[in-house]
């Protein structure tokens, strides 16, 4: 091999190494950008979860207070609080308070609501109301106690 051939190969090698180095820098920059974007998205998701938690807690407080003022039936409050409790990062004490509402909601979940309720005949509505009230009697003391606790729910 001549000096010219050898220097040409070295030159080509240097150009290839430089191109690969520049490409590696470009990929590293893109990875850094992706990591920054991932952090931003994670931060936004966490902020959204905190906001959702606060909103759910506020709604639970309102429902618990309405229940204590007899503005809602125990069953209606139980259905609403049971649903909202799934959106809260609850402490163990809060979980206990939510539990009784979930139990009542499950015990009365077979009773139609909204349009299905409206479509029922009067005798069926009366029968289901009596059944609901009988079920609520068994939960009344626990529901009121839990509602009192939930009306004081911490909001961060």
């Amino acid at each position: 091999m001549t000096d010219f051939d050898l220097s040409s190969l070295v030159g080509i090698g240097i150009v290839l190494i430089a191109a690969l180095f520049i490409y590696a820098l470009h990929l590293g920059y893109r990875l850094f950008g992706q990591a920054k974007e991932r952090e931003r998205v994670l931060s936004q998701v966490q902020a959204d979860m905190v906001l959702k938690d606060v909103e759910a807690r506020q709604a639970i407080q309102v429902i618990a207070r309405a229940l204590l003022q007899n503005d809602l039936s125990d069953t209606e409050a139980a259905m609403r609080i049971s649903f909202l409790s799934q959106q809260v990062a609850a402490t163990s004490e809060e979980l206990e308070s939510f539990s009784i509402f979930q139990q009542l909601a499950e015990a009365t979940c077979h009773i139609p609501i909204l349009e299905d309720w409206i479509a029922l005949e009067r005798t069926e509505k009366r029968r289901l109301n009596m059944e609901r009230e009988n079920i609520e009697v068994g939960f009344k003391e626990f529901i009121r106690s839990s509602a009192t606790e939930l009306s004081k729910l911490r909001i961060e």
Side-chain angles (χ1 to χ4, degrees):
M1 267 188 147
T2 64
D3 279 342
F4 178 73
D5 290 341
L6 187 59
S7 63
S8 295
L9 288 174
V10 169
I12 291 172
I14 290 173
V15 168
L16 283 173
I17 289 172
L20 289 173
F21 180 74
I22 291 170
Y23 184 63
L25 286 175
H26 171 71
L27 290 177
Y29 179 75
R30 284 182 52 193
L31 280 174
F32 179 75
Q34 286 176 348
K36 282 290 201 189
E37 178 64 15
R38 193 173 19 252
E39 286 177 26
R40 186 193 66 74
V41 168
L42 180 61
S43 176
Q44 182 63 43
V45 166
Q46 289 173 337
D48 290 346
M49 287 175 59
V50 167
L51 178 62
K52 193 172 191 174
D53 184 83
V54 167
E55 289 173 347
R57 287 175 180 281
Q58 288 171 338
I60 289 168
Q61 274 187 341
V62 168
I63 294 167
R65 288 177 183 150
L67 174 63
L68 292 171
Q69 295 172 356
N70 296 319
D71 291 338
L72 289 174
S73 72
D74 291 2
T75 299
E76 184 176 357
M79 285 190 255
R80 292 176 184 217
I81 289 175
S82 179
F83 173 77
L84 289 167
S85 70
Q86 297 169 11
Q87 301 172 21
V88 171
T91 64
S92 58
E93 295 86 24
E94 292 168 347
L95 286 173
E96 287 178 28
S97 294
F98 293 144
S99 173
I100 193 68
F101 286 98
Q102 290 165 347
Q103 291 173 34
L104 178 57
E106 288 173 13
T108 57
C109 69
H110 65 282
I111 299 174
I113 59 172
L114 304 174
E115 293 86 21
D116 294 335
W117 178 261
I118 293 170
L120 293 175
E121 292 186 20
R122 184 180 297 187
T123 56
E124 185 64 9
K125 285 181 184 179
R126 192 173 15 254
R127 183 189 71 75
L128 288 171
N129 264 331
M130 287 176 53
E131 181 181 342
R132 176 187 57 82
E133 289 169 357
N134 287 335
I135 293 171
E136 286 178 354
V137 166
F139 287 89
K140 193 101 174 146
E141 182 180 322
F142 300 109
I143 288 287
R144 296 297 165 161
S145 173
S146 293
T148 302
E149 291 299 315
L150 292 177
S151 68
K152 303 171 195 167
L153 198 62
R154 68 172 171 80
I155 298 178
E156 299 171 355

